[in-house]
Amino acid sequence: GASIVSLVLIYRFTSTKLTGAVNRLVEAAGKISSGQLDKPIQPLNNDELGYLASCFDNMRQTLLTNRETIARVQE
């Protein structure tokens, strides 16, 4: 009884936390792909998803730098 309830609660908490982090990364990827590069992506956790968020932010920064370089060259 109680152990099943505990497992269900742990599953729900973990699943909700994971889904929220993944949804946040999907939203960030969508913004990057549409050219919205001004907002940093902060990792929420110090785990694989946090590492992925850091990688997305590095990509965002590189794209922003490249955009600025291209604008200067074109002037």
Side-chain angles (χ1 to χ4, degrees):
S3 61
I4 292 174
V5 171
S6 296
L7 287 174
V8 169
L9 290 175
I10 291 169
Y11 169 77
R12 300 272 318 245
F13 174 75
T14 305
S15 146
T16 301
K17 186 176 178 181
L18 181 62
T19 302
V22 169
N23 286 340
R24 195 168 157 269
L25 287 174
V26 168
E27 181 182 333
K31 287 181 180 180
I32 289 171
S33 72
S34 70
Q36 298 176 37
L37 305 175
D38 56 327
K39 196 171 190 181
I41 302 164
Q42 300 295 327
L44 294 176
N45 304 317
N46 192 19
D47 59 8
E48 291 85 356
L49 290 176
Y51 176 71
L52 185 57
S54 294
C55 291
F56 271 117
D57 195 59
N58 289 339
M59 178 177 58
R60 179 197 65 79
Q61 290 175 8
T62 300
L63 289 168
L64 187 59
T65 300
N66 291 345
R67 179 190 283 173
E68 292 167 352
T69 301
I70 289 169
R72 278 195 306 274
V73 168
Q74 288 177 339
E75 289 177 357

